Amino acid sequence: MPLEGKLSYGELADLLQVIDISRKNGILNVRSRKGVGRLFFEMGKLVRAESNLFSVRVGDVLVEQGILSRDSLQAALGVQRSEGSRRKLGAIICEDMGVTPEEVEAALTVHFKAVIFDILSWPEGRIRFDVSDSPLSQERFSINAAEFILAVGIEAGYLVIESSS
């Protein structure tokens, strides 16, 4: 059974900490007058974050951080298209472009933090947390070519503390 309700400013941070501590799997949908966000959790760890207000893609973050050139990103996207999306973009970037998994994870962390911090700033909204009994399979997601999923995840409670400082 999903958890649904109305949240005011600050209560979302508490909910994220509960999800983290209780090691829940699921998808948290957040809707407000400001926007719509979705947070994906495995064992309480954030593995994906998206918002209709936050258009920066992780591939762009890799380029902005100087980890990957724009041409290399375009080449990786071309490889993915030519292979029919058999390999995730993150794998192509690591295996074919020489970027380390640690660099990809660091870029994901930057991207997800920005999305989370934005969502945490929303003054009010409605939430729905659809709990899953088993870990979310990364294959379930229809992934935009310029997005990734964190393999390990980020502690949501840590993000809440960091966003308040």
Side-chain angles (χ1 to χ4, degrees):
M1 176 186 331
L3 169 66
E4 295 183 77
K6 184 177 179 180
L7 292 177
S8 60
Y9 183 77
E11 292 175 331
L12 181 58
D14 295 337
L15 178 59
L16 293 180
Q17 289 181 319
V18 168
I19 292 169
D20 185 10
I21 291 168
S22 62
R23 301 175 51 95
K24 294 290 185 192
N25 300 317
I27 302 171
L28 178 63
N29 294 286
V30 183
R31 293 186 175 277
S32 80
R33 282 183 248 149
K34 190 169 178 183
V36 177
R38 292 181 355 148
L39 309 177
F40 300 81
F41 296 89
E42 279 195 21
M43 300 299 294
K45 306 284 187 256
L46 181 68
V47 294
R48 182 173 171 161
E50 54 190 38
S51 165
N52 68 329
L53 300 177
F54 211 85
S55 62
V56 173
R57 303 283 186 213
V58 175
D60 294 329
V61 172
L62 287 168
V63 171
E64 288 171 14
Q65 292 179 0
I67 296 168
L68 190 66
S69 72
R70 177 74 51 199
D71 290 341
S72 294
L73 175 60
Q74 293 305 316
L77 290 167
V79 167
Q80 188 182 44
R81 276 189 300 277
S82 71
E83 293 181 354
S85 298
R86 279 183 311 147
R87 287 192 294 163
K88 290 187 174 25
L89 184 60
I92 294 168
I93 287 173
C94 291
E95 294 165 6
D96 299 0
M97 306 295 168
V99 175
T100 67
E102 294 79 15
E103 290 171 315
V104 172
E105 185 164 342
L108 280 171
T109 301
V110 167
H111 175 70
F112 289 169
K113 281 181 180 180
V115 172
I116 290 286
F117 294 167
D118 183 55
I119 292 172
L120 285 171
S121 74
W122 297 353
E124 62 185 345
R126 297 206 51 84
I127 60 101
R128 177 183 170 115
F129 185 62
D130 291 301
V131 180
S132 172
D133 290 335
S134 60
L136 299 172
S137 167
Q138 293 181 4
E139 275 59 279
R140 279 185 49 195
F141 302 117
S142 170
I143 302 173
N144 180 303
E147 292 179 328
F148 305 89
I149 295 174
L150 276 180
V152 175
I154 304 170
E155 290 186 25
Y158 167 77
L159 287 177
V160 170
I161 292 168
E162 189 175 328
S163 74
S164 63
S165 53

